[in-house]
Amino acid sequence: MDLVEELLLRGLEDVLGCPSAMVVLHEPDLSAREKELVVDCIDSNFVSSVGHYVDRFEEMLAAYTGVRRAIAVSNGTVALQVALHLAGVESGDEVLVPSLSFVATANAVSHCGAVPHFVDSCPVTLGLSPEALGDYLDHIAEPALGQLRNRVTGRRIAAVVPMHTYGHPVEMLGLMEIAGKKTIPIVEDAAESLGSWYRDWHTGTLGRIGALSFNGNKIITTGGGGAILTDDPGLADRAKHVTTTAKLPHRWAYFHDEVAWNFRLPNLNAALGCAQMERLPELLQRKRRLAERYRGAFAGNTAFEFVTEPPHARSNYWLNTVRLRTPNMDVRDRLLTKANAAGYQCRPTWVLLHRLPMYAECPRAPLPVASALEASLINLPSSAYLAGDSQL
Ligand SMILES: *Cc1c(COP(=O)(O)O)cnc(C)c1O
């Protein structure tokens, strides 16, 4: 075994011990309370599209994040798709997204009939770089009738989508300044960052509209689910309307006033979500403690650096990450093989989106930072229970 492999395994062993079974990357954390509320939901017979748990879950999300309205939907991808639609993204537009993201960020753009336009990331936050974005837009974009146009493709640039990678907040002030100057709305992909704060604001609440995910691998889960966050009551009403078949309220008549979606979150899933929201502070506390232990274990490590929350931000530490000090794809893959064989489920970051076959022809900025991050990031097992119970 070479030195780099040994340095990774030693760090993992320090925090997780020697596993007898596979320590998975991330698993749901469910308690008696989740069971209680789900059983209550079943007993009520309201398991589907109508019921009190949806309203309660939405209220809990709005109260926690400090946003005026939260609208629960069936998953994070459609939350982002509807958010883009409501921000005005139309067929034939371009939307700026980080190349370093989960595929759903670009898919949501495509489902609007728009084209993802890939931009670079910041080495500190792992999210969109305001500086790189500003410089790039100065080059390729021009104002046109109060909008922003791509000089090269002629298409309108209709929105920018910062994504808070692994829970670490993007440098939002810089980004908001550029978006304001260039007159493009910000739609936040906060799928991974429930419980993460940028200065005094919860992630997903700084842009015009934001999206959360409650998939099974996220910090809390509803089995599958998502939410749209916005301070704009008009947008919130629209979000509810178009995700619930655009039915006009009436005691018995079926009247729908536009082509819409059935993207609502079932009451059964919302019941699970209510119990998870009650436990979110406890889960966050454990996540922080686990991150603290990893940070200690990798302190002074000559091959790896533990990724910490950016300045002015409080991360939920959804997924813990180390980076190779010297980016190298072959070394990275060797490390992943070794760690997985030793019982630690470590994963690389995503294949950069512009290299996936369906997005290979999309416009893109130079991506030196994203490429270096792809060759250096390694996610470590991050389930909340791994922090142990000692100090709770
Ligand atoms: C999980 C995730 C999504 C999509 O959420 P789903 O609920 O799985 O559809 C979108 N963007 C990012 C960055 C994610 O991690």
Side-chain angles (χ1 to χ4, degrees):
M1 189 158 56
D2 71 19
L3 180 65
V4 186
E5 293 171 4
E6 205 175 309
L7 285 171
L8 178 65
L9 291 187
R10 207 186 292 157
L12 286 164
E13 197 185 316
D14 234 35
V15 176
L16 305 171
C18 279
S20 47
M22 192 74 166
V23 186
V24 302
L25 186 71
H26 198 278
E27 54 189 316
D29 196 303
L30 304 173
S31 71
R33 183 61 177 159
E34 281 79 356
K35 199 179 270 182
E36 184 188 338
L37 294 196
V38 169
V39 167
D40 179 66
C41 183
I42 292 171
D43 289 344
S44 77
N45 221 28
F46 285 93
V47 293
S48 187
S49 50
V50 179
H52 300 304
Y53 280 114
V54 174
D55 298 337
R56 190 157 133 197
F57 186 48
E58 289 177 342
E59 281 159 19
M60 290 177 91
L61 288 169
Y64 181 82
T65 61
V67 80
R68 281 175 82 174
R69 297 275 297 279
I71 296 91
V73 293
S74 41
N75 61 63
T77 309
V78 300
L80 191 58
Q81 181 192 332
V82 172
L84 289 162
H85 171 72
L86 294 179
V89 173
E90 290 176 0
S91 190
D93 287 339
E94 284 179 16
V95 175
L96 300 162
V97 302
S99 187
L100 184 81
S101 187
F102 179 55
V103 69
T105 312
N107 286 346
V109 172
S110 294
H111 291 315
C112 292
V115 178
H117 184 152
F118 299 110
V119 289
D120 207 15
S121 302
C122 160
V124 177
T125 67
L126 314 182
L128 282 187
S129 158
E131 293 76 24
L133 184 68
D135 290 349
Y136 180 62
L137 288 180
D138 285 345
H139 260 88
I140 64 108
E142 63 193 4
L145 304 168
Q147 300 181 330
L148 192 67
R149 196 163 299 281
N150 182 331
R151 254 193 220 119
V152 185
T153 63
R155 287 186 291 241
R156 179 171 80 122
I157 297 175
V160 56
V161 185
M163 191 281 282
H164 307 287
T165 312
Y166 308 135
H168 302 307
V170 170
E171 185 52 53
M172 287 299 290
L173 278 185
L175 211 57
M176 288 159 83
E177 195 183 315
I178 288 161
K181 231 186 283 172
K182 303 286 182 188
T183 63
I184 40 176
I186 294 178
V187 177
E188 281 181 82
D189 183 345
E192 305 181 352
S193 61
L194 178 66
S196 297
W197 302 77
Y198 174 77
R199 296 178 188 265
D200 291 334
W201 299 282
H202 191 278
T203 53
T205 71
L206 289 104
R208 182 172 301 177
I209 187 163
L212 299 175
S213 166
F214 313 114
N215 188 35
N217 63 346
K218 298 300 201 291
I219 190 151
I220 69 161
T221 187
T222 55
I228 297 164
L229 305 178
T230 182
D231 274 320
D232 181 329
L235 280 187
D237 289 343
R238 291 276 304 137
K240 195 66 175 178
H241 192 60
V242 300
T243 55
T244 57
T245 72
K247 183 182 174 298
L248 297 190
H250 191 282
R251 257 195 136 76
W252 41 258
Y254 298 107
F255 190 85
H256 308 261
D257 64 355
E258 64 182 298
V259 179
W261 294 285
N262 171 18
F263 284 163
R264 58 183 125 213
L265 184 73
N267 204 43
L268 191 58
N269 300 76
L272 191 55
C274 289
Q276 288 266 277
M277 276 306 286
E278 288 177 8
R279 297 185 50 235
L280 179 59
E282 164 209 329
L283 294 172
L284 285 167
Q285 213 180 323
R286 290 188 177 169
K287 289 282 203 185
R288 256 197 122 61
R289 208 163 64 229
L290 181 61
E292 204 44 53
R293 293 182 58 195
Y294 274 128
R295 199 168 66 89
F298 284 95
N301 192 306
T302 49
F304 300 95
E305 182 192 18
F306 182 69
V307 176
T308 54
E309 62 197 353
H312 314 299
R314 190 172 173 87
S315 175
N316 65 2
Y317 283 103
W318 168 57
L319 283 190
N320 289 289
T321 309
V322 286
R323 71 170 105 215
L324 269 168
R325 290 182 191 273
T326 311
N328 183 316
M329 212 63 143
D330 296 329
V331 172
R332 185 201 78 171
D333 289 352
R334 238 179 340 104
L335 288 164
L336 288 165
T337 305
K338 201 81 185 177
N340 278 273
Y344 307 105
Q345 189 183 37
C346 296
R347 303 282 300 269
T349 193
W350 310 282
V351 170
L352 296 184
L353 296 180
H354 72 278
R355 293 203 286 104
L356 297 178
M358 61 286 194
Y359 295 126
E361 305 300 321
C362 291
R364 61 174 193 261
L367 300 162
V369 177
S371 303
L373 288 172
E374 185 187 28
S376 56
L377 298 183
I378 295 177
N379 292 132
L380 312 176
S382 296
S383 304
Y385 79 88
L386 293 171
D389 283 319
S390 52
Q391 292 144 55
L392 262 187

